[in-house]
Amino acid sequence: LLAKPGGAYDAMVGAVWTHMVQAAPVARAIGPVLGADGEEAFAITLLHDVGKLVVFDRIASLRMAHRRAIQIPEAWLSHALEQLHEPLGATAAHLWGLGAAAADAIGTHHRKERPSCRHPLAETLFVSERADHARREGSALDFDGVWALGEVNGDVALCRGILARQERIAA
């Protein structure tokens, strides 16, 4: 309901929403292993790409204001979404009163910069997102690579077992 930009953008909004919905149960399951509350991890993962929806909502507003389809070059839009969705999402989380930890986790969930301190919620979000991307691509999650790239703390073997159990249940 947040964004109805029209045309091809609607499919992109649907893909973003589907990703958030599918990553959230992963976060709930592995959050406690990584030191995060499972229910908080679930809720924040449901919102982690909300910055993308903010962009699509703006496209919808422009479409309505100009009464025509808005054409944005795909490469430019992809780059803008990649660069802006974390800070826009963090700002939205802050404005919605979700708290500093939630806003920070959303704002840093790709963990591009080395974290200055341990952040269990951000780590949970990072792993959950990577797990969903791997599942959608039909590839195995490189746990050791994810742990190293995201500087994730927590028992990798236990998380691997939890995710394997989830996959068996889903199959």
Side-chain angles (χ1 to χ4, degrees):
L1 295 176
L2 178 66
K4 292 284 188 188
Y9 303 124
D10 284 346
M12 295 172 80
V13 170
V16 170
W17 177 248
T18 298
H19 163 61
M20 293 189 300
V21 168
Q22 291 176 341
V26 175
R28 176 188 281 144
I30 66 170
V33 174
L34 300 177
D37 176 76
E39 294 307 313
E40 182 180 23
F42 178 86
I44 297 310
T45 304
L46 276 176
L47 296 171
H48 80 274
D49 278 343
V50 72
K52 292 179 180 180
L53 300 181
V54 168
V55 171
F56 288 120
D57 187 57
R58 183 65 184 140
I59 293 170
S61 295
L62 289 169
R63 180 177 57 88
M64 289 177 63
H66 295 284
R67 298 176 191 249
R68 64 177 173 78
I70 302 299
Q71 301 297 324
I72 300 172
E74 186 177 337
W76 187 91
L77 179 59
S78 293
H79 181 72
L81 289 171
E82 180 60 31
Q83 296 301 311
L84 297 175
H85 82 279
E86 286 177 305
L88 287 174
T91 300
H94 175 72
L95 291 173
W96 295 337
L98 298 179
D104 188 48
I106 290 170
T108 63
H109 70 270
H110 285 282
R111 300 184 63 82
K112 294 175 192 168
E113 297 180 16
R114 292 292 161 230
S116 59
C117 62
R118 184 159 189 277
H119 194 317
L121 190 55
E123 293 173 23
T124 301
L125 183 46
F126 178 78
V127 174
S128 301
E129 180 170 65
R130 293 294 175 122
D132 183 59
H133 286 313
R135 183 199 54 77
R136 284 186 297 125
E137 294 166 359
S139 61
L141 181 63
D142 175 9
F143 283 91
D144 294 331
V146 168
W147 253 245
L149 181 63
E151 295 187 15
V152 176
N153 295 281
D155 189 331
V156 67
L158 189 52
C159 283
R160 184 180 282 126
I162 290 169
L163 294 181
R165 227 178 353 270
Q166 276 191 329
E167 286 177 24
R168 283 193 303 273
I169 291 170

